Amino acid sequence: MEELQQTLKQLRLSEVSLELPALMREAEQKSWTYYELLNHLLKYELTKRDEKNKARRLKWAKFPYQKTIEDYDLSEQTSLGERQMRQLKEMNWLEQQYNLILLGPPGVGKTHLAVSFRLVAIEQGYQVMFLPMGELTTIL
């Protein structure tokens, strides 16, 4: 088992390597075929990699907090309509590489929207970063 785990590590399949004994026991108990075992091992590795990548992108984004689009109260917003919000949720603007600029006085939810759209982008595999305007102007 140790030799197989070492080989998996050399192939950069470290998550499967760590979980191999438990997965092998499960395969024996459920009488998996070779195809089922291999499929399960590879899916496990991909799932763990996706989770790690998402966590890495979330850490890199430096969000002040995490709020979703669903948490945003559109009824308190007069300049953003339901139709516009649905269009923004589709994230086509991101795929077409358009910028989204949120302007307004304090307390209207600009940061909430910015964070929530970035969370959706992270779920879709994009790498994002949150920078307050003051910090951005300092960098520029």
Side-chain angles (χ1 to χ4, degrees):
M1 184 68 73
E2 290 177 14
E3 182 181 350
L4 185 54
Q5 286 178 297
Q6 189 60 35
T7 303
L8 288 167
K9 284 181 185 177
Q10 288 176 331
L11 290 171
R12 302 198 190 286
L13 299 171
S14 58
E15 294 297 330
V16 169
S17 172
L18 294 172
E19 196 64 23
L20 186 63
L23 291 170
M24 292 295 284
R25 279 192 300 276
E26 185 178 357
E28 288 174 4
Q29 290 170 353
K30 295 182 179 179
S31 300
W32 287 346
T33 65
Y34 295 124
Y35 171 81
E36 289 172 325
L37 174 61
L38 186 58
N39 190 33
H40 199 79
L41 291 173
L42 295 176
K43 282 186 177 181
Y44 181 83
E45 181 72 27
L46 286 175
T47 301
K48 289 298 184 178
R49 284 184 185 189
D50 286 345
E51 289 172 4
K52 280 184 173 180
N53 286 335
K54 181 182 171 190
R56 191 176 304 118
R57 289 190 307 267
L58 278 170
K59 183 178 177 183
W60 195 81
K62 298 180 182 177
F63 292 137
Y65 52 80
Q66 291 187 19
K67 290 192 176 185
T68 64
I69 294 172
E70 289 73 28
D71 295 337
Y72 189 76
D73 188 9
L74 196 58
S75 65
E76 295 181 13
Q77 182 57 257
T78 57
S79 61
L80 184 63
E82 182 70 35
R83 180 173 176 254
Q84 289 173 312
M85 183 61 99
R86 282 195 313 270
Q87 285 178 324
L88 291 172
K89 285 181 188 179
E90 292 173 0
M91 303 299 280
N92 290 332
W93 57 273
L94 183 59
E95 292 170 10
Q96 296 171 359
Q97 299 180 351
Y98 289 115
N99 294 320
L100 183 63
I101 300 173
L102 304 171
L103 298 172
V108 295
K110 298 179 302 292
T111 303
H112 182 146
L113 285 175
V115 168
S116 61
F117 288 135
R118 287 182 175 100
L119 284 172
V120 173
I122 286 174
E123 288 289 331
Q124 293 180 1
Y126 290 95
Q127 187 169 352
V128 301
M129 178 181 259
F130 181 88
L131 285 175
M133 186 55 80
E135 190 176 334
L136 180 61
T137 55
T138 302
I139 291 171
L140 294 175

